[in-house]
């Protein structure tokens, strides 16, 4: 069921429209109605409907201006215009805001019913498109680049790997019988004699012309390098990989008169590990450039032990997420499981030190990004990388690291609470100082504070239980009432002084918030 706000300044027409059209049977629920553009904007911010059905010419804020402001606070909402004016200029203006429908008055209930059916179909399509996982819409190169360059951080790696395998089969990268395959990434860059990078999209064809003779692969160009995902069995890699990369290096030198740097990763067991393999290949190409050697296998220069670097990174990533937004209990439970796993695998002290150094680094990175220097100093006092923290008793180490992570989590939670309160207070201060500015808006304040309008809107609702528009209107009316009762200023002057460029709109807002018009308010006060 989609929610609707109906806005029209003609009350009889608006009520008739709501009464005569069976919104419920069409899949809509009317949750609010407005008699002018300003009220419609308030309802949109407060009720967050799926559809705004509005007259295009409205008091105080026109339909076009309403559409513009709505796009800033509810960009996902659909807007349908009803207009008594066959005005093509208005229609053109509406197009730029992705208006879902433009209807002309007079419109019968049958006509509106048919149009609402069409609108619902469009909204259905948008919802389906957004939630769709139709792989035909994604090109093979995009899938591959995302897989290798971005990687995946998920809890259920096996399930995600199975999903990616299916996509790879769909795009022709793998066959149904590819279970025994392994995956290696090579990165190739071409250089001239002056050390300039000469790699281009055309380099992909040159590299592919050699790789295809030896091994199943797919390549793409990105930022001065050719990245290739090689797919084979371990025996296939042992037999052909060193030959293929050497042939690439030799042909680049002989035919192109250039030099090349080739970094080769270790084979990984699952295609989901392609991102980590890419990082290894990039590390290897770094060795290649520094040494002047064309081809570098990462396994030649960086040893590995019997532990899964991918899973370590996943575990640390999960710790990061729990520190950012998890509960204290969730973090503590996960860390105990993490350390139990380490102990159960009986990894060496060197590897344990490496893992803990990564954990400490990740935690400090988050803390530095969020809290102030005093809090960071407090955390540094608790656990110092300089002392011999890795050489103590294992139970002592476990307790120290768990306490360290929980302390970091508490510092971040406290700082976020302080920051949120401070941001909200700044917004309220700006309203206090600039309420008289007719251009004051959620967006202008968010720009001044340097946060997103979405975040600011959420904070204001959380800490004040009111929307931005409600707070601004309340402040303006409070000042206006004081001026009405304590000065001889004309109502037009008070209106302008309080940020209202339209005196009629000011009178409407004043009566809405106080229950009486500005004139009656002043008159009643004088009688008292």
């Amino acid at each position: 069921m989609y929610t609707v706000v109906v806005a029209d300044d003609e009350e009889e027409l608006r009520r008739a429209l709501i009464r005569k059209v069976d919104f419920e049977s069409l899949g809509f629920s009317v949750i609010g109605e407005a008699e002018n553009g300003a009220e419609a904007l308030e309802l949109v911010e407060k009720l967050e409907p799926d559809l705004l059905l509005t007259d295009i010419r409205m008091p105080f804020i026109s339909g076009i201006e309403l559409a513009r402001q709505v796009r800033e606070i509810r960009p996902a909402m659909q807007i349908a215009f009803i207009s008594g004016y066959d005005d093509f200029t208005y229609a053109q203006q509406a197009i730029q805001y992705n208006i879902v429908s433009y209807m002309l008055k007079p419109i019968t209930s049958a006509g509106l019913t048919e149009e609402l059916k069409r609108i619902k179909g469009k909204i259905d399509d948008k919802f389906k498109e957004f939630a769709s996982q139709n792989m035909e819409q994604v090109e093979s190169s995009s899938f591959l680049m995302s897989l290798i360059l971005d990687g995946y951080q998920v809890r259920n790696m096996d399930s995600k790997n199975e999903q990616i395998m299916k996509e790879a089969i769909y795009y022709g990268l793998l066959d149904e019988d590819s279970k025994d395959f392994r995956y290696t990434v090579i990165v190739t860059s071409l250089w001239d004699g002056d050390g300039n990078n000469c790699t281009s999209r055309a380099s992909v064809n040159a590299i592919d012309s050699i790789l295809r003779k030896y091994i199943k692969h797919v390549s793409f160009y990105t930022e001065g390098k050719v990245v290739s995902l090689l797919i084979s069995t371990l025996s296939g890699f042992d037999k052909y990989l060193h030959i293929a990369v050497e042939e690439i290096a030799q042909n680049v030198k002989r035919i192109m008169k250039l030099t090349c740097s080739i970094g080769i990763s270790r084979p990984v067991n699952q295609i989901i590990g392609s991102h980590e393999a890419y990082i290894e290949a990039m590390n290897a190409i770094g060795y290649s450039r520094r040494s002047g050697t064309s081809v570098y296998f990462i396994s030649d220069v960086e040893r590995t032990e019997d532990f899964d670097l991918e899973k370590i990174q996943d575990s640390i990533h999960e710790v990061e997420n729990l520190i950012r937004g998890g509960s204290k209990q969730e973090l503590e439970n996960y860390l105990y499981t993490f350390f139990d796993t380490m102990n159960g695998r009986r990894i060496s002290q060197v590897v344990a030190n490496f893992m803990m150094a990564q954990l400490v680094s990740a935690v400090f990175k988050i803390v530095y990004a969020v809290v102030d220097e005093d809090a960071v100093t407090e955390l540094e006092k608790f656990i110092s990388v300089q002392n011999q923290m890795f050489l103590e008793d294992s139970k002592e180490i476990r307790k120290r690291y768990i306490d360290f992570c929980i302390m970091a989590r508490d510092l971040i939670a406290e700082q976020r609470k302080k920051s949120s309160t401070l941001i909200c207070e700044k917004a309220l201060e700006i309203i206090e100082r600039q309420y008289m500015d007719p251009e004051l808006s959620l967006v202008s304040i968010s720009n001044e504070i340097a946060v997103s309008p979405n975040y600011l809107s959420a904070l204001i609702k959380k800490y004040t239980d009111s929307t931005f528009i409600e707070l601004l209107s309340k402040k303006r009316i409070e000042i206006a009432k004081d001026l009405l009762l304590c000065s001889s200023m004309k109502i037009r002057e008070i209106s302008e002084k309080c940020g209202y460029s339209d005196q009629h709109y000011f009178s409407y807002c004043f009566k809405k918030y106080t229950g009486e018009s500005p004139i009656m308010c002043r008159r009643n006060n004088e009688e008292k």
Side-chain angles (χ1 to χ4, degrees), residues 135 140 143 161-179 181 183 216 231 271:
M135 292 184 293
S140 175
F143 160 72
N161 185 71
E162 184 178 344
Q163 176 189 334
I164 294 173
M165 288 282 287
K166 290 179 180 178
E167 293 187 56
I169 291 170
Y170 176 86
Y171 291 120
L173 302 178
L174 298 176
D175 302 317
E176 293 288 349
D177 58 347
S178 300
K179 294 181 180 179
F181 282 172
Y183 310 90
K216 185 176 180 63
I231 306 162
I271 193 170

Side-chain angles (χ1 to χ4, degrees), residues 14-58:
R14 184 177 73 250
R15 295 289 172 84
L17 185 152
I18 296 172
R19 185 177 64 255
K20 291 182 179 181
V21 175
D22 189 356
F23 281 88
E24 295 286 334
S25 67
L26 296 172
F28 293 98
S29 173
V30 178
I31 58 173
E33 54 180 294
E35 62 182 6
N36 56 66
E39 188 176 7
L41 184 61
E42 287 187 39
L43 288 178
V44 165
E45 184 181 24
K46 190 172 185 177
L47 303 179
E48 302 180 349
D50 298 308
L51 173 67
L52 172 63
L53 185 61
T54 178
D55 191 352
I56 199 168
R57 299 211 181 198
M58 296 273 281

Side-chain angles (χ1 to χ4, degrees), residues 47 72 109 162 186 199 230 253 257 273 294-295 308 323 389 432 480:
L47 303 179
E72 293 181 346
S109 57
E162 184 178 344
I186 70 170
T199 318
L230 280 51
K253 183 178 180 180
K257 310 301 181 187
S294 296
V295 177
D308 193 335
I323 287 174
M389 61 181 181
E432 287 286 332

Side-chain angles (χ1 to χ4, degrees), residues 54-57 81-87 102-105:
T54 178
D55 191 352
I56 199 168
R57 299 211 181 198
F81 279 141
I82 301 178
S83 175
Y85 301 87
D86 189 4
D87 190 329
Y102 186 91
M103 296 168 275
L104 290 177
K105 295 179 181 178

Side-chain angles (χ1 to χ4, degrees), residues 248-263:
I248 291 172
Q250 290 175 8
N251 278 311
V252 167
K253 183 178 180 180
R254 180 167 56 87
I255 299 173
M256 298 181 175
K257 310 301 181 187
L258 300 171
T259 59
C260 72
S261 302
I262 305 176

